[in-house]
Amino acid sequence: MTPQELSEKARQLVAGGAVLLDVRTPQEFQEGHPEPARNIPVQELPQRIAEVGPPGTPVVVYCAAGGRSAQAAQLLRANGFPDVFDLKSVKNW
């Protein structure tokens, strides 16, 4: 998908009720993020997964470049969140 297609798909999902999850560090998050985003750093996600929502909640996940969001997407899918969309980079929002 092109960055434009990623953006359109992510925005549609979030408008439809998906959680927008930022897995960057709190410092990166404070430097700028989309308004509806929640920040749970990828290294804290295993302990904080309940904060995402009940299993089955649709999730759009992103980081700075795509590495951490891919890790987070895999973790979420393994923990009962089958509907995960990896936006890759916050720049794609």
Side-chain angles (χ1 to χ4, degrees):
M1 296 178 95
T2 67
Q4 179 67 30
E5 290 167 336
L6 286 168
S7 175
E8 288 172 13
K9 174 84 171 163
R11 288 170 186 269
Q12 284 173 353
L13 290 168
V14 171
V19 170
L20 183 59
L21 185 62
D22 185 319
V23 296
R24 300 176 300 162
T25 66
Q27 292 81 7
E28 288 173 298
F29 186 74
Q30 287 173 351
E31 288 168 12
H33 59 87
E35 183 54 42
R38 296 183 197 172
N39 181 225
I40 303 176
V42 70
Q43 63 272 21
E44 296 176 16
L45 190 55
Q47 297 83 14
R48 296 177 61 190
I49 205 152
E51 292 176 42
V52 176
T57 301
V59 181
V60 174
V61 64
Y62 69 85
C63 62
R68 289 173 287 179
S69 65
Q71 259 184 292
Q74 189 175 14
L75 183 80
L76 287 162
R77 288 186 188 108
N79 283 277
F81 296 84
D83 191 6
V84 179
F85 180 73
D86 186 357
L87 180 59
K88 300 180 186 356
S89 171
V90 65
K91 294 182 183 102
N92 292 330
W93 179 255

